Amino acid sequence: MCTHGKAIGLALLLCAVVPIRSAAAEPTRAPKPKPAQLKISGYGLLGNRELRRMLVTLEWAGKVPDLLTPTFVEDAALTLAARIKRDGYLHPAIEIQLTTTAGGQIRVNAAGLLDNPLSSELRFSKVRFIVHKGVLFYFQSLQFTGLQTVPLKQAYSYFEQTETLFHLKRGRIFTPDRLDSGIEALTGVLDQQGYREAQARVTQLAQNDRTGAVAARLQVQQGPQFIVRTVQEDFTFSNAPAPARIKIVHPNQPYSHVWQQDFVLSLKTNLYHQGFPDTTVKVTTAQRQSIAGREELRLLASVSSGPRVRIAAVEFRGQRRTRPALMKRSVRIERGEWLDPIAVEAGRYRLAKLGIFDKVDLQYRTVDEAHRQVIYELTEGKTLNLSLLFGWGSYDLLMGGVEAEVNNIWGLAHHANIKAIQSFKSTSGDFTYTIPELVGRDIELFVNSSGLRRQEIDFTRLEYGGSIGLHKYFAAQSTDITARYNYSILNALDFSTVQEVASEGLTNPAVGSVMFDIKYDRRDNPLYPHRGYKVFLSLQTATSYLGGEANFQRVEFSPSWHHPLGGGRYLSLGVSHGVDISFGSPANNLPFNSRFFPGGESSIRGYQETEASPRNSLGQLVGAETYTLGTVELEQALTAKWSVVLFSDSLGFAEHLNHYPVDTALFSVGVGLRWHTLIGPVRLEYGHNLNPRPGDPSGTVLFSLGYPF
């Protein structure tokens, strides 16, 4: 007891003495200066923020300094004016309010700074740009004459948005640069068709400075179409006096700049692989003949290989933490090999793909005629990234969280990601550690642990566990493949006192399983797919031989297809099918949490999440052992940012596998409104149920973020 009292007294004494010593030893520090205030107004809430972020990023890489200089004010005024004009406001006025470090106030007009620049000795603590954007200039009419082989609607699309239902002014913005780029795009398409001499010029341009309306007329002269009939390829190696090899090919293709570039690149690539990095190709016209309004060409491609070169050394510059062994392994080129520029560039791509460099540049240094050094100039990225997460779901309501990423751990491009998310219905955490190319080329080894507590409609889901696996992406096939071993605890808690689930599956099992996922994705855009298709397959096998108590197999298959119909309309079809197969009685082998609980914004949309699953005799949700979902969507773009969707969701399921594939069918139809954002569509949808069961809703309003399938 006495000893304990002495310890407390000693601790109090230390607490009293240490602060006094610290205060005496350390000098008083001046308060850290606050960054200068930079404000922009007059361009709308989102527009003001975008303009300010643009200035901060361009001028100071994201961090505002303590004081602002006259040079910054003048440069920023020019940058803002150029950006606003690009948006179609051709005659903006920008008022600038300045507060000097002495507290003085200065008001200037951006246009007047050119003739009356600010004194270079001034420094500002506050700068405010007030934008008076003026009228929006837009194409009121656009006419083409002389256009023959390009559809009129396609020609319009190079100057204004045509794939929307409502042709608002924002979709028909006029600027001189946009007019020039539209003409360039139109003549580029004609060039690809073989009209190499095609020209388009503005013959009439009328601008109304009061309303912003612009009337333009373009005269198109396509000229004759050029067709390549034959190409004679003459190969000269190592500066020999005469060609060593002659080859004749018959393309029979329209002669365009794009075709010529691809043809020249194919000839160079073949010699690059043999160690001739200085290969040149000169294409000339050997014969030109006019036949039936076309110009038929016979071309001569003179190929000069230049000297054959070996790699003298592979160097890396600019890295601080990254280990040389990792970089050498990534580039896959070595000293003494033939210098192949394609392979060297592929090494640069693989370095960038590691995700630890902000910039990867490439240069060569000549040692002698037969040897060159390959030098990769590297700029390492940040080691730690923190992000705030947010979202919304009709069942979970508001979701928020934080994500932390640690890059280039140990200097070996190891990557750690930790994520914590909280919503009104669930709490989840996830940790993943990734090691690139430990077990093979382009193969990632990962270790994952996760936990989830979620309040479902009729029970509480508590799941936690971990996995270890391999991931590989096949770029040429657009295919992701993942294989992993997973061990988890799948608890189903807080059932109603009268709910009977013993016959449906295990409510607190340990599950050891191997899982295999494959995704083949040929969509044009993962956030807004309008063309292409995707196929996803997931296989899971759980058995007591893998360390768990459950014995089952789970299969899920989900293909989708998207196709544009024209006029801003898009048709999308999706199918999902899942089945749980028990090795024995489901009551003793299938986890209750592994049953299927359909419903919600990514399922049948006449129901809340999990609400469309099978019910027992008491009307409580017990999940299905197999289901099939079919979705049809027709989307119509209203503007560049908004679209309306008509959809039909058809769900079939069976509570028990002996009724495979379905014994119950539910159908929903509905309409939705979508707002296009940088992180995906924000969706407001209503699904109406055509054949609701007793206790089912007649329909459901859903609000969510992300594409449904």
Side-chain angles (χ1 to χ4, degrees):
M1 187 72 178
C2 181
T3 303
H4 181 65
K6 290 181 179 179
I8 294 177
L10 180 60
L12 292 175
L13 179 61
L14 288 174
C15 291
V17 171
V18 170
I20 296 175
R21 293 182 61 186
S22 299
E26 294 184 5
T28 303
R29 294 182 180 178
K32 185 177 180 180
K34 296 181 179 180
Q37 294 184 21
L38 174 63
K39 295 184 178 180
I40 299 176
S41 60
Y43 209 60
L45 179 61
L46 297 179
N48 294 334
R49 295 186 63 181
E50 181 183 352
L51 292 178
R52 185 184 186 280
R53 183 170 59 248
M54 177 188 68
L55 289 181
V56 173
T57 302
L58 290 176
E59 295 289 336
W60 310 296
K63 187 176 181 180
V64 180
D66 304 336
L67 298 175
L68 303 180
T69 65
T71 301
F72 160 74
V73 174
E74 295 164 359
D75 292 346
L78 293 174
T79 301
L80 290 176
R83 176 64 173 78
I84 295 167
K85 289 178 181 179
R86 195 188 75 182
D87 289 345
Y89 300 98
L90 300 185
H91 304 305
I94 302 177
E95 180 184 349
I96 310 174
Q97 297 179 355
L98 306 170
T99 301
T100 66
T101 54
Q105 301 291 324
I106 301 176
R107 284 178 174 264
V108 295
N109 189 286
L113 290 177
L114 295 176
D115 297 326
N116 301 291
L118 297 167
S119 172
S120 60
E121 298 179 356
L122 292 172
R123 295 295 181 269
F124 308 107
S125 59
K126 297 181 182 179
V127 175
R128 181 181 181 185
F129 295 93
I130 303 174
V131 177
H132 304 281
K133 54 189 178 183
V135 300
L136 176 68
F137 285 77
Y138 65 97
F139 283 108
Q140 185 181 49
S141 66
L142 181 61
Q143 298 179 352
F144 299 91
T145 58
L147 193 61
Q148 301 173 2
T149 59
V150 177
L152 195 58
K153 187 174 182 179
Q154 181 181 348
Y156 280 126
S157 70
Y158 302 127
F159 300 86
E160 58 187 47
Q161 294 174 356
T162 59
E163 295 296 306
T164 58
L165 186 62
F166 303 124
H167 299 291
L168 305 179
K169 291 181 181 179
R170 297 293 306 178
R172 295 178 285 139
I173 291 175
F174 166 82
T175 67
D177 288 343
R178 184 168 296 207
L179 178 62
D180 292 341
S181 63
I183 292 174
E184 184 178 353
L186 178 59
T187 54
V189 170
L190 291 171
D191 177 77
Q192 291 181 28
Q193 296 177 351
Y195 298 95
R196 291 177 58 88
E197 299 176 353
Q199 295 181 349
R201 62 186 182 90
V202 179
T203 58
Q204 178 183 338
L205 184 65
Q207 296 180 211
N208 189 322
D209 291 340
R210 183 178 59 84
T211 64
V214 176
R217 182 188 297 271
L218 273 69
Q219 174 66 45
V220 180
Q221 296 177 337
Q222 294 194 181
Q225 186 182 31
F226 290 76
I227 303 295
V228 181
R229 291 305 182 196
T230 64
V231 181
Q232 177 177 315
E233 302 172 355
D234 292 355
F235 293 87
T236 303
F237 291 92
S238 300
N239 301 319
R245 179 159 54 96
I246 297 176
K247 179 182 178 183
I248 297 179
V249 295
H250 302 269
N252 292 318
Q253 296 288 329
Y255 188 30
S256 68
H257 289 89
V258 174
W259 177 88
Q260 180 174 324
Q261 290 172 2
D262 291 343
F263 180 77
V264 169
L265 181 60
S266 67
L267 293 175
K268 287 185 176 181
T269 299
N270 291 332
L271 292 182
Y272 284 165
H273 292 331
Q274 300 175 40
F276 296 99
D278 299 328
T279 299
T280 60
V281 179
K282 182 179 180 181
V283 178
T284 57
T285 301
Q287 182 180 356
R288 174 174 172 174
Q289 186 176 9
S290 299
I291 300 178
R294 292 182 174 181
E295 298 295 319
E296 298 194 355
L297 305 177
R298 301 185 185 279
L299 303 180
L300 172 63
S302 301
V303 184
S304 177
S305 69
R308 203 173 191 189
V309 179
R310 290 189 182 273
I311 299 176
V314 180
E315 294 187 11
F316 305 93
R317 297 177 181 176
Q319 75 279 3
R320 293 172 297 168
R321 300 180 300 272
T322 309
R323 297 192 183 184
L326 170 69
M327 297 182 290
K328 291 179 181 178
R329 186 169 68 245
S330 297
V331 297
R332 300 176 191 171
I333 58 173
E334 296 182 0
R335 176 184 178 181
E337 295 179 344
W338 292 118
L339 176 55
D340 178 0
I342 303 296
V344 174
E345 182 63 30
R348 188 174 78 93
Y349 167 77
R350 281 189 290 270
L351 285 173
K353 190 180 175 183
L354 290 173
I356 60 176
F357 300 113
D358 286 341
K359 190 176 181 181
V360 181
D361 290 328
L362 171 64
Q363 60 176 295
Y364 298 95
R365 190 175 73 85
T366 301
V367 177
D368 54 44
E369 187 180 56
H371 295 86
R372 289 179 198 169
Q373 287 181 319
V374 177
I375 303 172
Y376 292 98
E377 296 281 354
L378 309 169
T379 303
E380 291 181 336
K382 293 193 298 184
T383 302
L384 177 64
N385 292 310
L386 294 174
S387 304
L388 295 178
L389 307 175
F390 73 94
W392 182 276
S394 295
Y395 181 74
D396 281 274
L397 302 179
L398 182 64
M399 294 175 281
V402 62
E403 181 178 18
E405 292 182 297
V406 184
N407 298 309
N408 204 14
I409 302 172
W410 318 116
L412 294 172
H414 293 192
H415 178 83
N417 177 281
I418 185 168
K419 186 186 303 182
I421 299 176
Q422 178 68 55
S423 75
F424 284 90
K425 297 291 185 179
S426 65
T427 301
S428 64
D430 183 270
F431 172 79
T432 302
Y433 192 93
T434 304
I435 304 174
E437 299 194 346
L438 180 66
V439 297
R441 285 189 171 183
D442 299 323
I443 299 177
E444 294 179 337
L445 171 69
F446 64 88
V447 179
N448 171 265
S449 63
S450 61
L452 169 68
R453 183 181 180 89
R454 178 179 171 84
Q455 180 60 57
E456 306 289 3
I457 293 179
D458 283 338
F459 70 99
T460 299
R461 185 187 299 269
L462 179 61
E463 302 177 352
Y464 52 92
S467 62
I468 181 171
L470 302 174
H471 168 261
K472 183 177 176 68
Y473 177 65
F474 297 87
Q477 293 78 28
S478 302
T479 301
D480 276 288
I481 295 181
T482 303
R484 63 187 182 274
Y485 168 78
N486 184 80
Y487 185 86
S488 57
I489 307 297
L490 305 181
N491 285 345
L493 310 170
D494 302 332
F495 288 101
S496 167
T497 55
V498 296
Q499 186 168 358
E500 295 292 337
V501 298
S503 63
E504 307 298 343
L506 303 170
T507 58
N508 186 27
V511 179
S513 64
V514 291
M515 307 175 72
F516 178 81
D517 298 331
I518 180 170
K519 182 175 73 172
Y520 178 66
D521 195 346
R522 299 306 297 255
R523 297 174 298 173
D524 58 344
N525 189 313
L527 294 179
Y528 298 98
H530 289 153
R531 184 187 299 274
Y533 59 94
K534 180 189 73 171
V535 179
F536 177 76
L537 175 66
S538 177
L539 303 173
Q540 179 183 11
T541 298
T543 171
S544 57
Y545 294 105
L546 294 173
E549 304 165 318
N551 297 273
F552 69 96
Q553 188 173 70
R554 182 184 180 97
V555 181
E556 285 192 274
F557 178 65
S558 302
S560 63
W561 176 79
H562 311 270
H563 185 70
L565 302 177
R569 290 179 292 274
Y570 307 96
L571 177 64
S572 297
L573 307 177
V575 176
S576 296
H577 178 64
V579 58
D580 285 329
I581 304 171
S582 302
F583 303 139
S585 168
N588 300 320
N589 293 282
L590 178 65
F592 184 81
N593 287 13
S594 293
R595 300 176 70 85
F596 298 105
F597 293 86
E601 56 262 19
S602 297
S603 181
I604 182 168
R605 282 166 279 186
Y607 296 83
Q608 290 278 8
E609 192 163 343
T610 76
E611 199 176 23
S613 66
R615 300 176 183 270
N616 60 14
S617 59
L618 299 175
Q620 297 163 323
L621 304 177
V622 293
E625 292 181 22
T626 181
Y627 83 97
T628 302
L629 174 70
T631 297
V632 179
E633 278 195 355
L634 178 63
E635 181 177 0
Q636 170 66 64
L638 302 177
T639 68
K641 294 289 187 180
W642 293 90
S643 62
V644 64
V645 176
L646 300 176
F647 62 84
S648 171
D649 299 326
S650 303
L651 173 68
F653 59 77
E655 180 179 350
H656 300 294
L657 195 60
N658 55 5
H659 292 163
Y660 181 89
V662 300
D663 60 11
T664 303
L666 300 174
F667 303 94
S668 294
V669 295
V671 62
L673 187 65
R674 292 181 183 171
W675 176 39
H676 294 199
T677 70
L678 292 176
I679 56 177
V682 176
R683 300 156 45 202
L684 177 63
E685 298 167 325
Y686 172 75
H688 176 71
N689 295 321
L690 300 180
N691 61 332
R693 303 165 297 182
D696 283 349
S698 59
T700 301
V701 176
L702 300 172
F703 183 75
S704 59
L705 173 65
Y707 200 81
F709 59 89

